[in-house]
Amino acid sequence: METDAQPDSTTPTDLFKAAVAGSVEADVFVAACEHARGVALLGTVDSLLQWDEQTMLPQAAGEFRAEQVAALAAIVHARRTAAPQGERLQQLVESNLVNTGAPAVQATIRRLHDDFVKQSRVPGRLVEALARTGIEAQQAWSQARAAADWKQMAPHLERMFALKRELAACQRPDLEPYDALLDDYEPGADWRAVQQRFTRLRAAIVPLVQACVESATRPTDGILRGPFPLSAQQTFVEQTAAAIGFDFQRGRLDTTAHPFCSTLGPHDCRLTTRWDEHFLPTALYSVLHEAGHGLYEQGLPPGWFGLPPGEAASLGIHESQSRLWENLVGRSPQFWEWCFPAARSAFPAALAEATPADVAAAVLTVQPSCIRVEADEVTYNLHVMLRFDLERAVITGDLPVADLPGAWDERFEADFGQRPPSAAEGVLQDIHWPAGLIGYFPTYTLGNLFSAQLMAAAERALGNLDEQIARGEFQPLLNWLHREVHALGRTRTSDEIVAEVSGEPVSERFLVESLYRRYGPVHGLPAEPPAAC
Ligand code: ZN
């Protein structure tokens, strides 16, 4: 795709026309793209309402905002599944264009057609029931979590899991129910292949966590406890995000309770973070993470915004970009070699006695804990794999919703050697299940697998990546990601992207090796996994 090179005066319509010039279906293709782009435009209005809700909304305005979001969702669903669009896509998928067009054209036809068929199979009644149950369940979740009371949550989750089973059967009757749900977040993924990778990953990580915790030379993070004055943090963190390549002419950073990255348009990417005066990593690593998502969004071909060549390939690929910058770049000794002088001048009191190596070791602290969102890089995947196994068992009917708390505690004890003190720190901690995000969790760990495999490929391609990072030269890595990952948009599946770039199928091996290499030596352990891993 040559979309990056288009002159500024080229409109998306010109681009769609140029992509199929001379074809007998040119007009149909352009009309289908314009329709899809119109739906995406409304989607960005929804994103703006939700960004505003998370960052700016007065407390009393919540109910009206829910009405606005619901009204817009109904319009979007009706437009998305409009019959004339279905007819256009049917015509295109039966045309020569789907096999002979440019790769961006072929992908646009196939993906739009598949999306349309899938969405049209879901009755409006089910869309509405899912939305309503999601809102009620999330409200119940806030109270249930505060009271650590599973009984308040159980009936809502019963309903939500039942609706998601129904959704799976409607939208992808050709797939097993869990794969049908996974398809919403990680198109083309197959739970059996995911489970095999996760099983091997877990077998390698559990002993690494144990060895780190028992290590006599384990690093501590006292040096990161500050205080780090907030205004200095804001400047430091924003400068760091800009240094890795986030374009603040096309984005912003704002404050929220739960950090996220949201795209409101091809040149409008919003990062959010929270701040902690007494722990520098809270904001620094959440901004590196969200900026990693933002770099992906800013790297997608803008002319194709809202269409498959301009969309993210999957949540797993999205997460691979955030994890790559947060962990593989941001927690490396080379990163701190470069970053330390700026950090010390921003926080002269807190870092007066520190060296770059001290900080680089402190950000590799491994500390098993009950809460996923506070987990370190090594234990994080154990939290995710637990949720993947449990939600799949509920969807297949092997595990009744009522048995979730017991199953959770048992598995947690097996992996972490302790039981959560209450349901609030166990089965009730995440908003995903009440929000209906079932099949979403595995994309976090898939993102970690992809990031390690992509980084290994980048190291091979760029040669002296460590030295570049130590000098604060991030552009070669970012250009490489733009070319090999971002520019592809949603024209390939995640497995295809990673396999093509790295020259071998997706494997957990890269993540296992990366974790041992980076966490082993600072804990006085070997830098390589034992042979059995
Ligand atoms: Zn993320």
Side-chain angles (χ1 to χ4, degrees), residues 140-154 157 371 387 405 408-409 422-434:
W141 171 76
S142 299
Q143 291 172 11
R145 190 172 70 149
D149 182 8
W150 163 255
K151 280 193 217 73
Q152 291 182 37
M153 195 67 246
L157 283 188
I371 305 293
R387 288 153 177 77
W408 181 291
D409 291 355
S422 78
E425 289 142 299
V427 70
L428 289 177
Q429 68 181 271
D430 298 303
I431 199 169
H432 297 60
W433 291 340

Side-chain angles (χ1 to χ4, degrees), residues 511-525:
L511 180 60
V512 171
E513 287 174 0
S514 171
L515 290 172
Y516 273 83
R517 187 172 63 243
R518 292 180 298 118
Y519 284 82
V522 293
H523 288 84
L525 303 167

Side-chain angles (χ1 to χ4, degrees), residues 422-476:
S422 78
E425 289 142 299
V427 70
L428 289 177
Q429 68 181 271
D430 298 303
I431 199 169
H432 297 60
W433 291 340
L437 299 174
I438 295 156
Y440 189 114
F441 278 122
T443 69
Y444 292 126
T445 286
L446 287 173
N448 286 329
L449 296 183
F450 298 156
S451 72
Q453 192 156 346
L454 289 171
M455 194 65 167
E459 279 162 2
R460 282 197 303 274
L462 298 173
N464 54 353
L465 186 52
D466 279 354
E467 291 162 34
Q468 291 167 20
I469 293 172
R471 290 196 296 267
E473 292 166 12
F474 301 107
Q475 202 61 42

Side-chain angles (χ1 to χ4, degrees), residues 289-290 293 319 322 444:
H289 180 100
E290 302 307 337
H293 284 302
E319 194 69 3
S322 59
Y444 292 126

Side-chain angles (χ1 to χ4, degrees), residues 54 88 100 170 199 228 271 294-296 326 349-350 373 446 491:
Q54 302 291 325
R88 286 181 209 115
T100 59
C170 283
T199 302
F228 299 95
L271 312 179
L295 291 172
Y296 184 25
E326 175 194 0
V373 296
L446 287 173
T491 62

Side-chain angles (χ1 to χ4, degrees), residues 236-299:
F236 170 71
V237 161
E238 217 165 287
Q239 280 169 352
T240 309
I244 64 168
F246 185 77
D247 182 355
F248 279 96
Q249 299 293 315
R250 301 172 64 208
R252 290 180 53 88
L253 173 63
D254 294 279
T255 299
T256 185
H258 304 285
F260 62 93
C261 164
S262 177
T263 291
L264 310 183
H267 305 292
D268 190 355
C269 180
R270 307 294 176 99
L271 312 179
T272 62
T273 189
R274 57 197 162 102
W275 305 93
D276 183 345
E277 208 165 6
H278 298 285
F279 198 51
L280 182 62
T282 299
L284 176 62
Y285 286 107
S286 88
V287 170
L288 282 176
H289 180 100
E290 302 307 337
H293 284 302
L295 291 172
Y296 184 25
E297 292 285 329
Q298 291 185 335

